[in-house]
Amino acid sequence: MNKKTKRIAVLGSTGSIGTQALDVISRHKKLFSVEVLTANNNSELLIRQAEKHNPNFVVIKNEKKYAEVFAALDKKGIKVFCGEKSIEDVVESENIDVVLTALVGYSGLKPTIRAITKGKKIALANKETLVVAGDLITKMSLEYGAEIIPVDSEHSAIFQCLVGEGFNNIEKIYLTASGGPFRGWGSDKLEYVTKKEALMHPNWNMGAKITIDSATLMNKGLEVIEAKWLFDLKPSQVEVVVHPQSIIHSAVQFEDGSIKAQLGLPDMMLPIQYALGYPKRLKNSFKRFSFFNYPELTFEKPDLKTFKCLNLAYLAMQKGGNAPCVLNAANEVAVEAFLKDKISFLKIADLIGSCLEKINFVASPKIEDYVETDLQTRSLAKKIVSHGSNFN
Ligand code: MN
C-alpha cells in the first residue's frame, strides 16, 4: 500500500468523540495520521495523545496550561499554541485533509467556517454548528467544495442510506431517538430529577452536555435541525421515532414508499470510522449485532407535551432565521446551570422558551448576527438564571 495517508485534525481530542476517533485512527495506521490535536483544558491527556500520535500542531485552549503543554511537547518537535483563536487558525494548515469537529456547542462554529473556506473535508461531530448557522454553513460548503460528512449516529445512518441513490428524492426521514433515561415519565416526576439521574443514559456513553440534552430530548431537537440542513429537507419531512433499543440508527423513506434503514449496536466507533474512511468501509473487529439478542425492536411517538425541548426545537426550526441560534445558546446556558444545580430539570425548557420569546428575531442573519444573537441570548439566559425561579 503506497497510497498517502489521510491527515486528520481532531478538534476536541480529549472528549468522548475525540478519544474514540484517536482509537479508530490507531487501528488504521496505514490509512490515517494525526496532523492536529486540540483540547480545552485536559492538558495531561492532550500531552499523552500527542506523544502517541505525533501530530505537527497541538492547541490547548486554556492559556494557563500552555507552559505545561509546551514544556512536554516542544522538545519533540511538536508546535504548541494556545487560545481559542489558535484553534481557528490551525485548521487552515495545508497538511490537513479531514477536520473532525468534536468540539462542544457553539465553540465549533468559527473553526468549522475557517476549515470550510480552505475546502477541507469536514467530519462533523459538532451538531450545534449546523443548528446555529445551517444556512450559512451549507451554502459555504457548496461554494468552497468542502464536503460535510456527519458523525452523529442518526445522520451517519441517513447518509449511509443515501449512498448510491443518486438524484432519487427523499420523501421523509425517520430520526430515531432512544427516549433517554426518563422515557415515559410525566412532569410530576421530572420535576425532581437529579443531575446524577440525568447523566445516566441507558444506551450511549457520551459527554455531559449531550447526555443532558438526551435526557431533555433537546438532543433530538438539535438533530432534527441538523438533518434539515444536511439533507436539505423541509421541517415536515423529519419525523422523530422513539426506539428505546437504539439499534435502528435512522431511516430514509423514498418517493416510492420504500424505506432504507441503517442498523447496528449503539457504538460511536462505527459512525466515526465511517466518516473518516468515507467512501470506503474499513474492516474492523467491533462487536457485531445479533438479531437473536434483540427479538423485539419497539417504536413510540415522542411525548412533546412533557419533553418541551423537542417541541421548542421544532418551533425554532419552523421560524428559521436566528431562532435556532437562540434555542442553542439558551440551551447551553440552561444545561450548564442545571449541571451546577442552579436550576431544576424542567426549568431548562422554560428558560429556552423565555429566550425564544424575548430575543429580537432576525429573518436572514449574517455571521455577525449569529455572533450577536448568541451573545445576547447567553446574557439574557444568565440573567434569568441568577434571578432564581422568577422567569417572567
Ligand atoms: Mn445522535
Side-chain angles (χ1 to χ4, degrees):
M1 202 183 295
N2 53 10
K3 254 191 90 194
K4 255 179 35 177
T5 62
K6 267 191 204 171
R7 297 160 301 180
I8 320 260
V10 183
L11 311 187
S13 66
T14 57
S16 171
I17 297 288
T19 50
Q20 293 179 83
L22 290 177
D23 191 350
V24 167
I25 289 168
S26 54
R27 289 163 191 251
H28 299 280
K29 286 201 180 117
K30 283 183 183 151
L31 296 174
F32 306 125
S33 64
V34 177
E35 178 64 20
V36 174
L37 294 174
T38 82
N40 283 340
N41 283 303
N42 194 343
S43 48
E44 232 172 90
L45 180 55
L46 180 65
I47 290 167
R48 258 187 288 136
Q49 291 177 331
E51 285 170 344
K52 181 168 176 197
H53 294 276
N54 197 31
N56 277 321
F57 298 98
V58 155
V59 184
I60 179 87
K61 185 167 155 191
N62 184 344
E63 294 173 11
K64 288 181 197 144
K65 306 246 172 138
Y66 172 73
E68 177 196 347
V69 180
F70 180 85
L73 300 179
D74 181 66
K75 57 189 180 216
K76 298 188 188 306
I78 299 171
K79 292 173 204 76
V80 180
F81 299 93
C82 64
E84 198 165 6
K85 184 82 181 16
S86 299
I87 300 177
E88 295 165 31
D89 293 337
V90 81
V91 298
E92 296 195 340
S93 158
E94 249 177 55
N95 297 329
I96 300 171
D97 299 308
V98 181
V99 177
L100 173 75
T101 61
L103 300 156
V104 178
Y106 178 81
S107 68
L109 180 64
K110 286 182 186 167
T112 307
I113 288 178
R114 291 281 286 275
I116 289 174
T117 58
K118 291 288 164 186
K120 309 287 186 199
K121 199 173 260 195
I122 311 286
L124 188 89
N126 174 246
K127 68 192 81 186
E128 289 89 343
T129 291
L130 280 178
V131 171
V132 169
D135 191 25
L136 186 77
I137 296 287
T138 45
K139 275 186 194 142
M140 285 180 70
S141 108
L142 282 175
E143 186 186 340
Y144 292 95
E147 197 173 5
I148 298 177
I149 301 145
V151 172
D152 210 346
S153 62
E154 296 79 357
H155 307 74
S156 174
I158 294 161
F159 190 89
Q160 292 179 53
C161 291
L162 293 173
V163 168
E165 288 293 342
F167 294 102
N168 287 329
N169 287 325
I170 297 173
E171 192 164 85
K172 69 189 289 187
I173 63 167
Y174 297 97
L175 210 60
T176 52
S178 69
F182 309 131
R183 182 175 59 88
W185 290 31
S187 300
D188 47 337
K189 259 176 100 185
L190 286 175
E191 175 111 48
Y192 304 103
V193 151
T194 65
K195 188 167 72 182
K196 198 174 157 211
E197 290 170 307
L199 283 170
M200 290 205 305
H201 195 276
N203 300 345
W204 297 94
N205 184 7
M206 311 172 288
K209 156 84 173 35
I210 186 173
T211 305
I212 300 302
D213 284 346
S214 298
T216 61
L217 292 200
M218 180 54 94
N219 182 51
K220 210 49 56 181
L222 300 176
E223 289 181 352
V224 168
I225 302 173
E226 181 186 12
K228 170 199 152 60
W229 291 115
L230 276 173
F231 307 111
D232 193 18
L233 302 167
K234 293 192 198 80
S236 60
Q237 287 177 292
V238 186
E239 181 166 355
V240 172
V241 177
V242 175
H243 165 45
Q245 298 82 16
S246 295
I247 295 301
I248 296 182
H249 297 314
S250 280
V252 180
Q253 180 173 308
F254 294 93
E255 287 186 310
D256 61 353
S258 180
I259 297 175
K260 274 166 89 174
Q262 188 261 343
L263 284 71
L265 292 170
D267 178 358
M268 282 309 294
M269 293 285 277
L270 185 58
I272 292 168
Q273 179 185 288
Y274 186 81
L276 295 180
Y278 176 78
K280 258 185 102 70
R281 288 191 182 275
L282 310 177
K283 195 175 161 84
N284 62 36
S285 55
F286 302 160
K287 196 169 171 227
R288 266 39 177 171
F289 169 74
S290 161
F291 279 94
F292 308 110
N293 291 339
Y294 290 85
E296 228 181 21
L297 297 179
T298 60
F299 308 95
E300 310 164 9
K301 280 206 160 140
D303 176 358
L304 296 185
K305 282 206 181 106
T306 308
F307 293 89
K308 294 193 177 110
C309 284
L310 179 53
N311 199 40
L312 288 169
Y314 265 105
L315 293 175
M317 172 170 67
Q318 278 148 3
K319 197 166 174 193
N322 64 340
C325 178
V326 174
L327 176 93
N328 177 68
N331 182 54
E332 287 190 27
V333 173
V335 170
E336 202 189 322
F338 174 72
L339 286 171
K340 288 183 176 157
D341 297 311
K342 286 183 183 163
I343 62 171
S344 68
F345 187 75
L346 289 178
K347 286 283 185 261
I348 295 175
D350 293 347
L351 179 55
I352 299 164
S354 297
C355 289
L356 280 168
E357 268 171 37
K358 286 176 183 157
I359 295 290
N360 279 340
F361 181 64
V362 183
S364 307
K366 298 190 176 63
I367 178 72
E368 310 83 68
D369 300 308
Y370 288 123
V371 173
E372 184 60 28
T373 299
D374 181 76
L375 279 172
Q376 278 182 8
T377 308
R378 279 170 203 272
S379 137
L380 172 65
K382 282 177 189 159
K383 234 181 261 168
I384 298 173
V385 168
S386 64
H387 287 91
S389 59
N390 183 12
F391 275 111
N392 295 302

